Amino acid sequence: MVSARVMLVGFIAVCFAIKRITGEPFQVSSYNIDLDLPPDQRWLNVTQKYAKYAAQMVADIRSKISPLIIPLAEKLALYLHEHFPAPYPGELASVSHGLNISLADAILLNIFYDLSAFCTSIVAQDTKGNIFHGRNLDYGIFKILRNISFISNFQSKGKTVYTGVTFAGQVGLLTAQRPNAITVSLDERDRCCLWLNIFEAIFNKKAMPITFLIRDVVSSKEIEFDHAVKMLSQVPLMAAGYLIVGGTTVGQGAVITRNRENAADIWYLSKDASKSPWFLVETNYDHWTTPPPSDDRRHPAEKALTKVTQQKLTAETLFNVLSVHPVLNNRTVYTTIMQAKNPDLFNTWIRWP
């Protein structure tokens, strides 16, 4: 039997056969991260493949920091590194070696990835209660990201334990799946300036980067939807955010609106597949407010989903919704479609709107 993932890839290849000539869309590369290796060796082989982009990556990051405070930023990054839980210090060291950049720059890369993403995430269920999770990841500041995005299959004893989409140099996860358990994506919640987030993190050593928390959750043994929602709601974070979670059965979809300390709100799919809400759309604004006209991706996505109808919800139709303007826009780096119940469906495409 042809797998759902192969069918979805084929569908998208046919639909975009002409556009592929101009670069839209194409599948990202996929690499295995061996969790049985020591942390300081796990990312060496992968990051070395992207070392040619390292100078531009560092230049992009440093261009967002005033030259006057770069020395302070470096010291702050190394300070935070001392308080990161295992395995992240060791893995950041392997990133530093693999990309041939300083440890401070490797840490700064991860901090910026963690705090500066504009996105659209959708979790929805069909009439049978099958949960689909899709996301567009948008970045307006780093054009190079389309060249350094890839799927990471985190493996132990040759078996994939969990999967994520990462940028070269990133050890946390913005998009993740644990097979037959959960899917998670992160959207930024802009509550303050980036550097104030980092400075405030100094005073709460328990606070962690949100991408590290996502990875911790999907790496947890026996994790399931309710436990994941609880963890993602309660662990102190360096910055606010929106955590979109999908499970394996009817009603297992949620948008967690996070403050640094706790959840401000948890918004769920209906536990009855025949009733609303059968989909949740999260962009970068609290769902109980109205997005600004200058950045209203929510209503076009909701309109497109309503037009699709719950009866016709599939991975393919969800991909089409994520391809509607302005849900798909000139800042969109990639689109991911995933389904925890059917983990082979997980795939990611670079977008060139």
Side-chain angles (χ1 to χ4, degrees):
M1 180 181 294
V2 180
S3 72
R5 180 173 180 173
V6 171
M7 291 176 65
L8 179 59
V9 171
F11 168 83
I12 293 170
V14 171
C15 289
F16 290 90
I18 297 176
K19 290 186 178 181
R20 283 178 67 88
I21 297 173
T22 60
E24 161 143 33
F26 65 89
Q27 277 184 267
V28 300
S29 299
S30 181
Y31 300 104
N32 296 332
I33 309 300
D34 189 352
L35 296 173
D36 297 324
L37 290 175
D40 61 358
Q41 297 179 24
R42 291 176 184 172
W43 293 94
L44 287 175
N45 290 338
V46 174
T47 51
Q48 286 169 354
K49 299 178 188 296
Y50 294 92
K52 63 182 179 181
Y53 298 109
Q56 185 61 53
M57 293 159 60
V58 172
D60 285 348
I61 292 294
R62 288 175 172 258
S63 70
K64 307 303 175 185
I65 307 171
S66 168
L68 295 175
I69 65 169
I70 283 179
L72 176 61
E74 293 174 332
K75 291 180 180 178
L76 178 57
L78 294 173
Y79 171 85
L80 292 173
H81 181 260
E82 293 178 0
H83 299 283
F84 288 154
Y88 303 113
E91 292 193 6
L92 287 165
S94 71
V95 165
S96 171
H97 295 154
L99 291 177
N100 194 27
I101 61 177
S102 71
L103 178 59
D105 281 328
I107 298 164
L108 289 173
L109 282 173
N110 279 266
I111 291 173
F112 269 88
Y113 289 159
D114 193 83
L115 301 179
S116 54
F118 281 83
C119 318
T120 299
S121 291
I122 299 170
V123 62
Q125 60 189 2
D126 65 16
T127 54
K128 297 180 180 179
N130 296 308
I131 307 297
F132 294 88
H133 192 157
R135 72 109 85 251
N136 282 351
L137 186 137
D138 301 344
Y139 268 97
I141 57 176
F142 306 132
K143 294 181 180 179
I144 198 173
L145 294 181
R146 292 186 178 93
N147 296 322
I148 60 172
S149 301
F150 55 90
I151 292 174
S152 295
N153 297 305
F154 294 84
Q155 297 189 335
S156 179
K157 297 179 175 60
K159 180 180 179 181
T160 297
V161 182
Y162 55 96
T163 299
V165 186
T166 46
F167 304 124
Q170 180 187 25
V171 299
L173 298 175
L174 292 159
T175 308
Q177 172 182 276
R178 187 173 182 97
N180 302 302
I182 56 168
T183 54
V184 186
S185 62
L186 167 66
D187 292 4
E188 183 200 19
R189 188 182 186 212
D190 189 8
R191 306 295 290 177
C192 195
C193 66
L194 183 146
W195 284 106
L196 184 56
N197 288 335
I198 299 171
F199 279 116
E200 289 199 8
I202 295 175
F203 300 103
N204 185 358
K205 295 182 176 62
K206 294 182 179 179
M208 65 188 305
I210 198 166
T211 55
F212 289 9
L213 173 59
I214 292 172
R215 184 171 162 192
D216 282 357
V217 168
V218 296
S219 67
S220 300
K221 294 182 179 179
E222 309 301 328
I223 194 70
E224 45 77 35
F225 177 79
D226 290 332
H227 185 204
V229 169
K230 183 177 180 179
M231 287 181 66
L232 293 168
S233 300
Q234 296 181 350
V235 174
L237 299 173
M238 284 177 55
Y242 301 101
L243 290 156
I244 298 83
V245 190
T248 58
T249 62
V250 61
Q252 289 191 339
V255 174
I256 305 167
T257 301
R258 276 300 308 261
N259 299 320
R260 290 188 184 90
E261 298 79 17
N262 50 34
D265 178 80
I266 305 177
W267 182 31
Y268 287 97
L269 288 174
S270 173
K271 293 185 179 181
D272 185 338
S274 65
K275 296 181 179 179
S276 293
W278 63 270
F279 64 77
L280 308 176
V281 175
E282 179 55 60
T283 53
N284 299 100
Y285 308 98
D286 296 345
H287 71 86
W288 58 90
T289 65
T290 301
S294 61
D295 186 29
D296 186 3
R297 288 163 281 129
R298 180 198 300 170
H299 291 114
E302 291 176 339
K303 182 178 180 180
L305 283 162
T306 301
K307 185 176 181 179
V308 165
T309 73
Q310 188 181 16
Q311 289 74 18
K312 295 182 180 179
L313 177 67
T314 63
E316 294 85 353
T317 57
L318 182 55
F319 183 92
N320 287 340
V321 169
L322 290 165
S323 301
V324 171
H325 180 78
V327 181
L328 178 67
N329 58 76
N330 61 11
R331 298 184 304 178
T332 303
V333 176
Y334 67 71
T335 297
T336 296
I337 300 293
M338 48 190 173
Q339 186 179 50
K341 186 178 180 179
N342 186 3
D344 287 342
L345 193 67
F346 190 106
N347 214 338
T348 297
W349 297 264
I350 297 296
R351 310 305 300 267
W352 293 90

